[in-house]
Amino acid sequence: MEIQLLRHATLLVSMNSKTLLIDPMLSPVGAMPPIVNSTNQRPNPLVELNCPQDFLQHIDAVLLTHMHRDHFDDAAAEQLPKNKLIFCQPEDEGKLKELGFYQVIPIFKQNCWEGLNITRTAGQHGTGEIGIAMSPVSGYILEAKGEPMLYIAGDTIYCSEVESALGTYHPQVTIVNAGAAQFLNGDPITMTKEDVGNLCRYESETKVVAVHMEAINHCHLSREALYDYVKREGLQEKVLIPIDGEKIVLS
């Protein structure tokens, strides 16, 4: 299995001889306005996309956790071939078809494609009214013969739904969207450093890959701050914090 972070939550995941593009945000730096109702009003994305040349020509499918603009932006809608296979949560099927994509497969619970089993999981994209307004969001369990089991948690805080996925599937690798994204009001809507620590302690056998940092204006947790925390907690051997463009190979 190979995981390459391109930026934010945009990843290339290669397993079972297939390459999936996860949550493509493809806009150049500063092309989108800031997330409203947040303290830092810099235009998004904050950094350029760090990607292989012509990578869109080499992906086999796209996997979307949800369609907030930092996970599927206008640039992705324009640049992705309209015949590209896209797996998504059921609520996003109609939106993608309206954009002209015609190979859209909603995952209600589970789908097996080319020897890769994809199971949808739930999450909470914040608490209270904000969490309700930001829903629905999904995560996915990816399984293939001879490969580590991968859990892509998606945009969620640490919650009972995440514990259920961990306790049910016991993934060897878990990708979490950290960054502690937050509006001016309410609690964080993605994982904080404490959330990452709680996940590590709940499922001690999983290797955590923390992404979703330093690219969008309302994400306040930096890579350095997360690394300092996991080091203090003795979790640095369990948590990988890739930089943009970095590849991680797992077996």
Side-chain angles (χ1 to χ4, degrees):
M1 178 190 296
E2 182 178 278
I3 298 169
Q4 183 176 16
L5 172 64
L6 304 186
R7 178 182 59 188
H8 196 53
T10 304
L11 302 150
L12 292 173
V13 173
S14 298
M15 58 188 299
N16 201 43
S17 301
K18 299 294 181 183
T19 298
L20 293 173
L21 174 62
I22 313 297
D23 286 359
M25 176 181 65
L26 306 182
S27 293
V29 63
M32 298 189 293
I35 302 295
V36 298
N37 193 28
S38 57
T39 55
N40 173 5
Q41 286 297 290
R42 292 173 59 192
N44 292 310
L46 305 180
V47 296
E48 288 288 6
L49 189 69
N50 192 332
C51 59
Q53 188 175 9
D54 300 326
F55 74 102
L56 291 179
Q57 298 178 19
H58 304 292
I59 62 172
D60 296 293
V62 177
L63 180 63
L64 297 182
T65 61
H66 63 308
M67 287 184 65
H68 290 166
R69 62 176 174 155
D70 60 324
H71 293 255
F72 191 85
D73 60 359
D74 290 344
E78 294 169 2
Q79 294 177 33
L80 285 169
K82 293 298 185 279
N83 65 345
K84 185 59 63 179
L85 181 63
I86 302 180
F87 296 101
C88 66
Q89 57 183 1
E91 292 85 354
D92 293 334
E93 178 185 11
K95 303 172 194 174
L96 289 163
K97 288 183 175 179
E98 286 177 4
L99 290 169
F101 295 97
Y102 56 87
Q103 286 205 81
V104 180
I105 299 180
I107 299 180
F108 291 88
K109 178 57 181 176
Q110 193 173 76
N111 185 281
C112 189
W113 166 70
E114 300 286 342
L116 182 62
N117 199 54
I118 307 172
T119 303
R120 190 165 63 92
T121 62
Q124 294 182 29
H125 198 0
T127 59
E129 292 183 0
I130 291 177
I132 294 171
M134 297 293 283
S135 66
V137 293
S138 295
Y140 299 97
I141 299 287
L142 304 183
E143 302 173 83
K145 185 177 181 180
E147 300 272 14
M149 186 186 298
L150 173 63
Y151 172 32
I152 301 172
D155 264 10
T156 182
I157 58 176
Y158 186 72
C159 57
S160 59
E161 289 88 345
V162 170
E163 287 189 350
S164 176
L166 293 168
T168 300
Y169 298 101
H170 303 289
Q172 282 82 47
V173 184
T174 299
I175 298 174
V176 300
N177 289 353
Q182 191 167 8
F183 299 109
L184 288 173
N185 303 310
D187 298 323
I189 60 174
T190 62
M191 289 199 191
T192 64
K193 59 184 186 295
E194 292 83 9
D195 283 344
V196 175
N198 288 333
L199 187 151
C200 289
R201 285 182 280 268
Y202 183 85
E203 184 53 59
S204 60
E205 297 303 313
T206 198
K207 177 75 75 172
V208 174
V209 180
V211 300
H212 199 271
M213 288 173 283
E214 301 179 356
I216 294 292
N217 72 292
H218 71 331
C219 291
H220 302 303
L221 176 64
S222 68
R223 291 181 173 97
E224 181 179 7
L226 179 57
Y227 178 77
D228 289 344
Y229 172 81
V230 298
K231 186 176 181 181
R232 287 197 309 271
E233 296 295 312
L235 300 170
Q236 65 269 34
E237 298 301 319
K238 291 181 57 61
V239 181
L240 302 175
I241 309 172
I243 61 173
D244 295 344
E246 183 175 349
K247 292 182 180 180
I248 297 170
V249 179
L250 300 151
S251 58

